[in-house]
Amino acid sequence: MLGERIKELRLANRLSQVELASALNVTKQSVSNWENDNIQPSVELVKQIAIFFHCSVDFLLELDTSRKIIDVSYLTTSQVAHIQQIIDDLSNLDSPTQS
């Protein structure tokens, strides 16, 4: 659940537990315990985790099953179009119409 989401986001961002712990000002053991569902982070830490990974708290808590939303507000229109093209190309890799 929450622990799985934290681990998924941490790995997707190529962070070690130590690096994530440092960024959130907690111990590596705290991150490990969250990921193993031994303990749950506080509400304040859940908010910090969402901010750190640029996702919603709903996404972390699996209330929103959509993919993580990427903040592109600081990019130019051209850069956003380029990212959209990459996403489209990746989506087409799994398409049965591709040869």
Side-chain angles (χ1 to χ4, degrees), residues 8 16 32-33 45-46 50 56 61 65 74 78 93-94 97 99:
E8 172 189 328
S16 68
S32 176
N33 280 326
L45 277 168
V46 171
S56 70
L61 298 177
T65 58
Y74 58 93
S78 176
L93 288 176
D94 296 329
T97 59
S99 47

Side-chain angles (χ1 to χ4, degrees), residues 5 56 58-59 62-69:
R5 282 287 164 110
S56 70
D58 284 352
F59 178 80
E62 297 185 15
L63 298 172
D64 176 4
T65 58
S66 65
R67 292 280 187 185
K68 186 176 94 159
I69 297 171

Side-chain angles (χ1 to χ4, degrees), residues 30-46:
S30 291
V31 174
S32 176
N33 280 326
W34 301 337
E35 290 183 0
N36 291 310
D37 288 320
N38 294 330
I39 61 170
Q40 298 297 310
S42 68
V43 172
E44 185 57 40
L45 277 168
V46 171

